[in-house]
Amino acid sequence: MGHHVVILGGSYAGIAAMRQLSKYPEIQVTLIDQHPYHFLQTEGYELISSSTSFDETIVSLPALCANYDNVTFKHRTIQAIDPQKKVILLNDGEASYEILIIAVGSVTKRFDCDESVYHYSSGAKSLRGAVKLNQFFQHELYKRLESDKKAKENFNIIIGGAGLSGVEIAAGMQYFFNRYYRSNALSCATLHIHLIASRETILYGMHPKIIESANKRLHKLHVKVHTQCRIYSIEHHEVLLSNNSKIPFDFMIFAGGTTTAPCLEDVELQKNQKGQIVVTPYLSTPNYADIFAIGDSAALLDKKGKTLPPTAQTAIQSGEHAAGNILRVLKQKKMKKADMKIKGIAIALGGTYAAIDLGHIRVYGYT
């Protein structure tokens, strides 16, 4: 008799698990996602800054799953999960499972402020958000090209969050603005990108050499960096920072953090303060051996118990390892503890400039 594994989420982690399990015809795999595509977030930041095209940022999930005889894709919205009944409530019915993999990822965490602000803002983790940002900035540049008066007006963009996402978006956008205006013999002096860092430095926790090189690059591009301050409140088109300074803004990008996907909020599984599902060293959940959590949905730790950053690398590794442990369970073998590692981090800093940390060596400059 065959086995049935359901994967919730066509994320980096979900796809990695699906590909591993697809190699075994005795396992029927069902992949469920609310979108018919996987959004490549690593490419999405380049879409925002117009450094890549729309089609380079997505993977069709129906087309991908069609390559495997034992994989079925369902374009459905996940509404709830009942671990005791082993049932997933969808927008058009229910789906049962023998083993469940939760890989729904995370969503952008927004600030508490007037809802009207969100008309002039967007997160950067979704395709919808990336396309909205790209179209908005293209339109703004067009208006400035057509009107001398408009070109002289100040235009402030605030990026809340100075981690990897915020820094890459700020550098990519400012580089695009600078290049665009140079090619059209215009000045970009009225366009200001403000990068807000709550810590004493951008890229907090990374190697000092990487932080130094990124700071120098942002300074050269004319990105305005604000450190040791948080966005305290937002009213109309003005941001009040925790250091009592105010910045007028025309558009805001939320890149300061993530939170759990809505479908996991009421699931009866143990979670950490960020809403991520707590997992065992085998990536199964403590109370339900038939449920695994991977990628951004899970509180992933390395062998020393240190929290792993939510990167595509760790997501893919967790997906592959969870699939391996599921195969071991089905073959009545002992599961293996996960050993996920960050093999290196590359930070795109506008154009062909990048900073790369390989652990034992760090390089930065034009590639």
Side-chain angles (χ1 to χ4, degrees), residues 39 48 122-135 251:
F39 174 51
I48 292 172
S122 180
K125 285 183 66 66
S126 68
L127 176 62
R128 180 181 180 182
V131 170
K132 178 181 177 181
L133 289 167
N134 175 270
Q135 292 176 342
F251 204 89

Side-chain angles (χ1 to χ4, degrees), residues 109-113 158-163 194-201 204 225-235 238-247 252 254-258 274:
K109 185 177 182 180
R110 288 187 163 186
F111 301 99
D112 293 327
C113 55
I158 290 180
I159 300 176
H194 299 266
L195 183 62
I196 312 298
S198 61
R199 301 279 193 165
E200 58 269 24
T201 179
Y204 183 80
V225 178
H226 305 260
T227 58
Q228 289 186 292
C229 57
R230 295 177 179 272
I231 295 177
Y232 181 74
S233 65
I234 305 171
E235 293 183 4
E238 192 172 63
V239 162
L240 174 63
L241 300 179
S242 56
N243 59 8
N244 292 322
S245 61
K246 294 181 179 180
I247 305 174
M252 178 180 291
F254 295 98
T258 59
K274 293 183 178 180

Side-chain angles (χ1 to χ4, degrees), residues 343-357:
K343 300 176 182 178
I345 294 177
I347 308 170
L349 294 170
T352 60
Y353 196 96
I356 302 171
D357 188 347

Side-chain angles (χ1 to χ4, degrees), residues 172-222:
M173 285 177 52
Q174 190 68 67
Y175 175 81
F176 173 76
F177 288 153
N178 296 351
R179 184 187 62 181
Y180 178 90
Y181 272 74
R182 278 200 306 269
S183 64
N184 289 284
L186 297 170
S187 170
C188 62
T190 58
L191 283 165
H192 306 292
I193 294 180
H194 299 266
L195 183 62
I196 312 298
S198 61
R199 301 279 193 165
E200 58 269 24
T201 179
I202 63 171
L203 301 173
Y204 183 80
M206 296 200 69
H207 194 276
K209 289 288 185 182
I210 297 296
I211 295 173
E212 181 185 4
S213 64
N215 266 317
K216 287 181 178 179
R217 175 62 172 172
L218 292 174
H219 178 74
K220 185 176 181 179
L221 291 171
H222 303 296

Side-chain angles (χ1 to χ4, degrees), residues 12 17 19 65 124 128 157 166 183 192 204 224 229 293 306 331:
Y12 286 107
R19 281 177 165 158
C65 292
R128 180 181 180 182
I157 300 165
S183 64
H192 306 292
Y204 183 80
K224 301 179 185 300
C229 57
K306 184 179 178 181
K331 294 178 180 180

